[in-house]
Coordinates of all heavy atoms in Angstrom, one line a residue:
A281 N 36.5 52.1 -26.7 CA 36.1 50.8 -26.2 C 34.6 50.6 -26.3 O 33.9 51.6 -26.2 CB 36.5 50.6 -24.7
H282 N 34.2 49.4 -26.6 CA 32.7 49.2 -26.7 C 32.2 49.3 -25.2 O 32.8 48.8 -24.3 CB 32.5 47.8 -27.2 CG 31.1 47.5 -27.6 ND1 30.1 47.2 -26.7 CD2 30.4 47.7 -28.8 CE1 28.9 47.0 -27.3 NE2 29.1 47.3 -28.5
P283 N 31.0 49.9 -25.1 CA 30.5 50.0 -23.7 C 30.2 48.7 -23.0 O 30.2 48.7 -21.7 CB 29.2 50.8 -23.9 CG 28.9 50.9 -25.4 CD 30.2 50.5 -26.1
S284 N 30.1 47.6 -23.7 CA 29.9 46.3 -23.0 C 31.2 45.6 -22.7 O 31.2 44.6 -22.0 CB 29.1 45.4 -23.9 OG 27.8 45.9 -24.1
N285 N 32.3 46.2 -23.2 CA 33.7 45.6 -22.9 C 34.2 46.2 -21.5 O 35.0 47.1 -21.5 CB 34.6 46.0 -24.0 CG 35.9 45.2 -23.9 OD1 36.3 44.7 -22.9 ND2 36.7 45.1 -25.0
H286 N 33.6 45.6 -20.5 CA 33.9 46.2 -19.1 C 35.4 46.0 -18.8 O 35.9 46.9 -18.1 CB 33.0 45.4 -18.1 CG 31.6 45.6 -18.4 ND1 30.9 46.8 -18.3 CD2 30.6 44.7 -18.8 CE1 29.7 46.7 -18.6 NE2 29.4 45.4 -18.9
A287 N 36.0 45.0 -19.2 CA 37.5 44.8 -18.9 C 38.3 46.0 -19.5 O 39.2 46.5 -18.9 CB 38.0 43.5 -19.4
S288 N 38.0 46.3 -20.8 CA 38.7 47.4 -21.4 C 38.5 48.7 -20.7 O 39.3 49.6 -20.5 CB 38.4 47.5 -22.9 OG 39.0 46.5 -23.6
I289 N 37.2 48.9 -20.4 CA 36.8 50.2 -19.7 C 37.6 50.3 -18.4 O 38.1 51.4 -18.0 CB 35.3 50.3 -19.5 CG1 34.7 50.5 -20.9 CG2 34.9 51.4 -18.5 CD1 33.2 50.3 -21.0
R290 N 37.7 49.2 -17.6 CA 38.4 49.2 -16.3 C 39.9 49.5 -16.5 O 40.5 50.2 -15.7 CB 38.3 47.9 -15.6 CG 37.0 47.7 -14.8 CD 37.1 46.5 -13.9 NE 37.4 45.3 -14.6 CZ 36.5 44.5 -15.1 NH1 35.2 44.8 -15.1 NH2 36.8 43.4 -15.7
M291 N 40.4 49.0 -17.6 CA 41.8 49.2 -17.9 C 42.1 50.6 -18.3 O 43.1 51.3 -17.9 CB 42.3 48.2 -19.0 CG 43.7 48.4 -19.5 SD 44.2 47.3 -20.8 CE 43.1 47.8 -22.1
L292 N 41.2 51.2 -19.2 CA 41.4 52.5 -19.7 C 41.1 53.7 -18.7 O 41.8 54.7 -18.7 CB 40.6 52.7 -21.0 CG 41.0 51.9 -22.2 CD1 39.9 52.0 -23.3 CD2 42.4 52.3 -22.7
A293 N 40.1 53.5 -18.0 CA 39.6 54.6 -17.1 C 40.6 55.3 -16.3 O 40.6 56.5 -16.2 CB 38.4 54.1 -16.3
P294 N 41.6 54.6 -15.6 CA 42.5 55.3 -14.8 C 43.5 56.3 -15.6 O 44.1 57.1 -15.0 CB 43.3 54.2 -14.1 CG 42.5 53.0 -14.2 CD 41.7 53.2 -15.5
F295 N 43.5 56.1 -16.9 CA 44.5 56.9 -17.7 C 43.8 58.1 -18.4 O 44.5 58.9 -19.0 CB 45.1 56.0 -18.7 CG 46.0 55.0 -18.1 CD1 45.5 53.7 -17.7 CD2 47.4 55.2 -17.8 CE1 46.4 52.8 -17.1 CE2 48.2 54.3 -17.3 CZ 47.7 53.1 -16.9
F296 N 42.5 58.1 -18.4 CA 41.8 59.2 -19.1 C 40.8 59.9 -18.2 O 40.0 59.3 -17.5 CB 41.0 58.5 -20.3 CG 42.0 57.9 -21.3 CD1 42.3 56.6 -21.2 CD2 42.5 58.7 -22.4 CE1 43.2 56.0 -22.2 CE2 43.3 58.1 -23.3 CZ 43.7 56.8 -23.2
L297 N 40.8 61.2 -18.3 CA 39.9 62.0 -17.5 C 38.5 62.1 -18.1 O 37.5 62.3 -17.3 CB 40.4 63.4 -17.3 CG 41.7 63.6 -16.5 CD1 42.2 65.0 -16.6 CD2 41.5 63.2 -15.1
F298 N 38.4 62.0 -19.4 CA 37.1 62.2 -20.1 C 36.6 61.0 -20.9 O 37.4 60.3 -21.4 CB 37.2 63.4 -21.0 CG 37.8 64.6 -20.3 CD1 39.1 65.0 -20.5 CD2 37.0 65.4 -19.4 CE1 39.6 66.1 -19.9 CE2 37.5 66.5 -18.8 CZ 38.8 66.9 -19.0
Q299 N 35.3 60.9 -21.0 CA 34.6 59.9 -21.8 C 33.5 60.6 -22.6 O 32.8 61.4 -22.0 CB 34.1 58.7 -21.0 CG 35.0 57.9 -20.4 CD 34.3 56.7 -19.7 OE1 33.3 56.2 -20.2 NE2 34.7 56.4 -18.5
D300 N 33.3 60.1 -23.8 CA 32.1 60.6 -24.5 C 31.8 59.5 -25.6 O 32.5 58.5 -25.8 CB 32.2 62.0 -25.1 CG 33.4 62.2 -26.0 OD1 34.0 61.2 -26.5 OD2 33.8 63.4 -26.2
D301 N 30.8 59.8 -26.4 CA 30.5 58.9 -27.6 C 31.5 59.1 -28.7 O 31.8 60.3 -29.0 CB 29.1 59.0 -28.1 CG 28.1 58.6 -27.0 OD1 28.3 57.7 -26.3 OD2 27.0 59.2 -27.0
S302 N 32.0 58.0 -29.2 CA 33.0 58.2 -30.4 C 32.2 58.6 -31.6 O 31.2 58.0 -32.0 CB 33.6 56.8 -30.6 OG 34.4 56.9 -31.8
R303 N 32.7 59.6 -32.3 CA 32.1 60.0 -33.5 C 32.6 59.2 -34.7 O 31.9 58.9 -35.6 CB 32.5 61.5 -33.8 CG 31.8 62.4 -32.9 CD 32.0 63.9 -33.3 NE 32.0 64.7 -32.0 CZ 32.9 65.5 -31.7 NH1 33.9 65.8 -32.4 NH2 32.7 66.2 -30.5
S304 N 33.9 58.7 -34.6 CA 34.5 57.9 -35.7 C 34.1 56.5 -35.6 O 34.2 55.8 -36.7 CB 36.0 58.1 -35.6 OG 36.5 57.5 -34.4
L305 N 33.6 56.0 -34.5 CA 33.2 54.6 -34.4 C 31.9 54.5 -33.6 O 31.9 54.4 -32.4 CB 34.3 53.8 -33.6 CG 34.4 52.3 -33.8 CD1 34.4 51.9 -35.3 CD2 35.6 51.7 -33.1
P306 N 30.8 54.7 -34.3 CA 29.5 54.8 -33.6 C 29.2 53.6 -32.8 O 29.5 52.4 -33.1 CB 28.5 54.9 -34.8 CG 29.3 55.4 -35.9 CD 30.7 54.9 -35.7
G307 N 28.6 53.8 -31.6 CA 28.3 52.7 -30.7 C 29.5 52.5 -29.7 O 29.3 51.6 -28.8
F308 N 30.6 53.1 -29.8 CA 31.7 52.9 -28.9 C 31.9 54.2 -28.1 O 31.5 55.3 -28.4 CB 33.0 52.7 -29.8 CG 33.1 51.3 -30.3 CD1 32.3 50.9 -31.3 CD2 34.0 50.4 -29.8 CE1 32.4 49.6 -31.8 CE2 34.1 49.1 -30.3 CZ 33.3 48.7 -31.3
R309 N 32.6 54.0 -26.9 CA 33.0 55.1 -26.1 C 34.4 55.6 -26.4 O 35.2 54.8 -26.7 CB 32.9 54.7 -24.6 CG 31.6 54.3 -24.1 CD 30.6 55.4 -24.0 NE 31.0 56.4 -23.0 CZ 30.4 57.6 -22.9 NH1 29.6 58.0 -23.8 NH2 30.8 58.4 -22.0
R310 N 34.6 56.9 -26.4 CA 35.9 57.5 -26.6 C 36.4 57.9 -25.2 O 35.7 58.6 -24.4 CB 35.8 58.6 -27.5 CG 37.1 59.3 -27.8 CD 37.0 60.5 -28.8 NE 36.4 61.7 -28.1 CZ 37.0 62.8 -28.1 NH1 38.2 63.0 -28.7 NH2 36.5 63.9 -27.5
F311 N 37.6 57.6 -24.9 CA 38.3 58.0 -23.7 C 39.4 59.0 -24.2 O 40.1 58.7 -25.2 CB 39.0 56.8 -23.0 CG 38.0 55.8 -22.5 CD1 37.4 54.9 -23.3 CD2 37.8 55.8 -21.1 CE1 36.5 54.0 -22.8 CE2 36.9 54.9 -20.6 CZ 36.2 54.0 -21.4
W312 N 39.5 60.1 -23.5 CA 40.5 61.1 -24.0 C 40.9 62.0 -22.9 O 40.3 62.2 -21.9 CB 39.9 61.9 -25.2 CG 38.7 62.7 -24.9 CD1 37.4 62.3 -24.8 CD2 38.7 64.1 -24.6 NE1 36.6 63.3 -24.5 CE2 37.3 64.4 -24.3 CE3 39.7 65.1 -24.5 CZ2 37.0 65.7 -24.0 CZ3 39.3 66.3 -24.1 CH2 37.9 66.7 -23.9
N313 N 42.1 62.6 -23.1 CA 42.6 63.7 -22.3 C 43.8 64.3 -23.0 O 44.3 63.7 -23.9 CB 42.9 63.4 -20.8 CG 43.8 62.2 -20.6 OD1 43.3 61.1 -20.4 ND2 45.1 62.4 -20.7
D314 N 44.3 65.3 -22.4 CA 45.6 65.9 -22.9 C 46.7 65.3 -22.2 O 46.6 65.0 -21.0 CB 45.5 67.5 -22.7 CG 46.7 68.2 -23.3 OD1 47.8 68.2 -22.8 OD2 46.5 68.7 -24.4
L315 N 47.8 65.1 -22.8 CA 49.0 64.5 -22.1 C 49.4 65.4 -20.9 O 49.9 64.9 -19.9 CB 50.2 64.4 -23.1 CG 50.2 63.1 -23.9 CD1 51.3 63.1 -24.9 CD2 50.2 61.8 -23.1
G316 N 49.1 66.7 -21.0 CA 49.4 67.5 -19.9 C 48.7 67.2 -18.6 O 49.1 67.5 -17.5
D317 N 47.5 66.5 -18.8 CA 46.7 66.1 -17.7 C 47.2 64.8 -17.1 O 46.8 64.4 -16.0 CB 45.2 65.8 -18.1 CG 44.6 67.0 -18.7 OD1 44.8 68.1 -18.2 OD2 43.7 66.9 -19.6
Y318 N 48.2 64.1 -17.7 CA 48.6 62.8 -17.2 C 49.3 62.9 -15.8 O 49.1 62.1 -15.0 CB 49.6 62.2 -18.2 CG 50.0 60.8 -17.8 CD1 49.1 59.8 -17.6 CD2 51.4 60.5 -17.6 CE1 49.5 58.5 -17.2 CE2 51.8 59.3 -17.2 CZ 50.8 58.3 -17.0 OH 51.2 57.0 -16.6
G319 N 50.0 64.0 -15.6 CA 50.6 64.2 -14.3 C 49.6 64.3 -13.2 O 49.7 63.7 -12.1
A320 N 48.5 64.9 -13.5 CA 47.4 65.0 -12.5 C 46.7 63.7 -12.3 O 46.4 63.3 -11.2 CB 46.3 66.0 -13.0
I321 N 46.6 62.9 -13.3 CA 46.0 61.6 -13.2 C 46.8 60.6 -12.4 O 46.3 59.9 -11.5 CB 45.8 60.9 -14.6 CG1 44.8 61.7 -15.4 CG2 45.3 59.5 -14.5 CD1 44.7 61.4 -16.9

C-alpha cells in the first residue's frame, strides 16, 4: 500500500504483523507475515 493511502493501511494492518519498505514497488509499504501467524493475529 502507498504510505499516503491511509484507508488501505487501516484495512491491511489488522491482518499483518510486519511492515517494511517494498523492494518490488519503491515508495510503497509492504505488509507481510506467515500464515502460521494468522491464528495469533
Side-chain angles (χ1 to χ4, degrees):
H282 192 277
S284 297
N285 189 342
H286 302 293
S288 288
I289 290 169
R290 276 192 307 273
M291 177 183 61
L292 293 170
F295 293 89
F296 295 91
L297 293 175
F298 307 105
Q299 291 184 40
D300 58 17
D301 292 327
S302 173
R303 289 184 211 133
S304 61
L305 201 54
F308 283 71
R309 296 293 292 164
R310 178 177 80 121
F311 294 78
W312 62 278
N313 56 262
D314 189 278
L315 278 176
D317 298 326
Y318 183 59
I321 294 168

